[in-house]
């Protein structure tokens, strides 16, 4: 993942690859025509781990890590996740607001020097339906993140057999690595 290429993106596509013991995600750039472009990162999450952790690599060979996120606590419903670069240097964090998430999932993302972004499911009705009827967990959901009331980025789950997301980034100052980590986390951690 070239940091400069990633930071210049305003649209990203994330596709989940379902495997037996791991969740995997491919992060792609968008081409000028809006189609899926080059692979920017590849993420892997072990299922049933005591402490949630996801590592993102330059590609699916998983030989060069570029960033990751890890829960501070073991099995905590309102856990805080630290996002670090390949050398372990912190670049931000995110956390779920468990209380506000009963009806409509709410997440907070923090980037040093930028302030806190608040992300919430766009549709209360879809959110409630997904919670009441477990078989409807395939329904697309959308998250809108704002900073100081201004749009920062959005993550939209598309209608598809496998989970696929479109990420639109509105704030040019947002570190795209944090956005990618949050978007992957929305799929990997949303059901917890």
């Amino acid at each position: 993942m070239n940091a400069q290429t990633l930071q210049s993106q305003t649209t990203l596509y994330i596709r989940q690859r379902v495997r037996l013991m791991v969740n995997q995600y491919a992060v792609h750039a968008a081409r000028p025509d809006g189609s899926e472009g080059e692979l920017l990162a590849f993420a892997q999450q072990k299922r049933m781990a005591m402490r949630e952790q996801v590592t993102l690599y330059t590609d699916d060979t998983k030989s060069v890590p570029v960033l990751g996120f890890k829960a501070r606590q073991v099995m905590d419903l309102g856990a805080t996740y630290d996002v670090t670069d390949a050398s372990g240097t912190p670049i931000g964090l995110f956390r779920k607001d468990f209380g506000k998430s009963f009806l409509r999932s709410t997440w907070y993302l923090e980037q040093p020097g930028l302030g806190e972004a608040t992300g919430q499911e766009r549709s209360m009705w879809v959110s409630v339906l997904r919670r009441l009827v477990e078989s409807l967990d395939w329904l697309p959901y959308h998250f809108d993140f704002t900073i100081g009331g201004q749009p920062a980025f959005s993550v939209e789950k598309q209608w598809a057999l496998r989970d696929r997301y479109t990420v639109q980034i509105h704030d040019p100052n947002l570190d795209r690595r944090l956005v990618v980590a949050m978007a992957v986390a929305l799929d990997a951690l949303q059901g917890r």
Side-chain angles (χ1 to χ4, degrees), residues 15-19 157-164:
R15 273 189 291 119
Q16 181 186 34
R17 297 179 185 175
V18 179
R19 301 293 186 261
K157 184 177 181 181
Q158 306 300 313
W159 288 95
L161 236 40
R162 300 199 191 256
D163 291 346
R164 180 181 156 94

Side-chain angles (χ1 to χ4, degrees), residues 51-126:
R51 185 181 300 201
E52 294 292 346
Q53 180 174 353
V54 175
T55 303
L56 285 91
Y57 303 90
T58 54
D59 58 35
D60 59 5
T61 65
K62 299 179 283 183
S63 57
V64 181
V66 291
L67 71 115
F69 60 87
K70 184 176 183 177
R72 288 182 182 171
Q73 305 90 349
V74 176
M75 307 243 267
D76 182 359
L77 297 174
T80 296
Y81 296 84
D82 293 303
V83 182
T84 57
D85 66 14
S87 69
T89 303
I91 57 175
L93 62 87
F94 59 84
R95 62 187 164 79
K96 187 173 188 175
D97 186 322
F98 186 71
K100 286 186 177 180
S101 294
F102 277 122
L103 290 177
R104 200 160 145 192
S105 292
T106 302
W107 290 83
Y108 302 104
L109 176 81
E110 294 180 27
Q111 176 179 323
L114 192 61
E116 184 176 79
T118 302
Q120 196 169 50
E121 284 184 89
R122 189 178 299 162
S123 171
M124 170 112 45
W125 296 109
V126 170

Side-chain angles (χ1 to χ4, degrees), residues 3 7 114 171:
Q7 193 60 31
L114 192 61
D171 187 327

